[in-house]
Amino acid sequence: SCGDYHLLNISHCIDAGDNSVVGLSRLDRDGNSRISSGTVDIGCYESAFAKDTVSPVTSIAWNPAANFAGWNNSDVLVTLSAMDPAPGTGIAAIYYTIDGGAQQSYTGPFSVSGEAVHTIQIWSVDGWGNVESSHNTLIRIDMTPPTITGMTDRQPNASGWYNADVTVTFTAEDLFSGLDTVTPPVLLSTEGADQSVSGTATDLAGNRINTMVSGINIDKTAPTTTLNSTITGSNTAQITLTPSDA
């Protein structure tokens, strides 16, 4: 009868023969060698597909994606994918581990959570049994904002006032992903009571924190005194001094 009698790449007849029984012709009906990779196939044709000796390639992505500095500030959802280069027999399985844990078969997106630098190990196996060398990807998660403090360049007087410009400086620290930005020093030069300055710090994961330095009183203008005199007699006068501080 007519038909395609090539062996499929998943056939148990692949590499299952006995080389000692191969006849005078060591070629199959297509003219290809009957003995491939050291063992003859059972059949008059080799596989309809070329022998696959190329390992698959596995890729990883996660959502939300890491920021410019390679950090996330929330839990992430990880997706794996694999491709099998030519002559390609397809992907049989994808595997992964999280932080050195047990091997798991990939069946769909999975979560990676908690503050840490997580290690995701991934690899795949194709239809011919070629096993990809495992490789690691780091997922960095930091959900804690930095710390920040602000202070004036000096203490006010006993009455809580400054008589010159005041500079407020902010200091920040982040012990995990590291500090990215902090508000630079702010100069207050306007006179007035109960003034305030706000400052912000962000870390490399994008966590943000704000603080405020308030209650700053500035008066740079000296008081004035007004003198008034009234003649009360031939040789006497009443003098009145009136202070003013606007």
Side-chain angles (χ1 to χ4, degrees):
S1 60
C2 296
D4 185 351
Y5 296 100
H6 290 88
L7 297 176
L8 298 177
N9 64 310
I10 58 174
S11 172
H12 296 296
C13 293
I14 300 295
D15 292 338
D18 182 351
N19 291 350
S20 66
V21 300
V22 176
L24 295 177
S25 173
R26 300 173 66 88
L27 303 178
D28 67 10
R29 298 289 294 275
D30 288 331
N32 298 317
S33 174
R34 290 289 311 280
I35 300 177
S36 177
S37 298
T39 306
V40 66
D41 295 341
I42 299 176
C44 56
Y45 293 96
E46 294 291 333
S47 170
F49 301 91
K51 183 77 172 183
D52 183 359
T53 60
V54 181
S55 298
V57 178
T58 308
S59 301
I60 185 172
W62 57 91
N63 185 43
N67 68 7
F68 73 97
W71 284 87
N72 287 84
N73 60 11
S74 67
D75 298 340
V76 301
L77 190 65
V78 177
T79 300
L80 303 181
S81 59
M83 57 89 65
D84 193 26
T89 50
I91 302 299
I94 301 176
Y95 300 103
Y96 68 96
T97 67
I98 301 176
D99 294 331
Q103 173 182 310
Q104 302 182 62
S105 296
Y106 179 74
T107 58
F110 58 91
S111 295
V112 174
S113 60
E115 289 189 313
V117 177
H118 298 281
T119 300
I120 313 301
Q121 184 181 43
I122 60 175
W123 70 98
S124 295
V125 180
D126 68 14
W128 276 99
N130 296 305
V131 180
E132 175 187 13
S133 296
S134 64
H135 48 99
N136 296 336
T137 297
L138 301 180
I139 297 179
R140 303 173 175 88
I141 300 178
D142 176 7
M143 298 184 284
T144 302
T147 58
I148 184 172
T149 57
M151 62 184 302
T152 56
D153 56 4
R154 62 194 186 280
Q155 292 297 313
N157 66 14
S159 298
W161 284 85
Y162 296 91
N163 62 2
D165 297 347
V166 175
T167 299
V168 178
T169 301
F170 296 95
T171 302
E173 183 179 40
D174 190 86
L175 299 179
F176 196 12
S177 60
L179 191 65
D180 185 21
T181 65
V182 61
T183 300
V186 178
L187 176 68
L188 283 180
S189 59
T190 302
E191 292 183 299
D194 198 24
Q195 299 185 64
S196 61
V197 178
S198 61
T200 301
T202 57
D203 64 20
L204 289 173
N207 299 301
R208 180 186 181 96
I209 191 169
N210 300 310
T211 192
M212 181 173 291
V213 179
S214 58
I216 301 173
N217 307 309
I218 300 177
D219 181 3
K220 299 185 288 184
T221 304
T224 60
T225 302
T226 303
L227 185 151
N228 294 304
S229 63
T230 302
I231 302 299
T232 59
S234 58
N235 295 312
T236 61
Q238 180 177 349
I239 299 176
T240 303
L241 299 176
T242 305
S244 175
D245 186 30

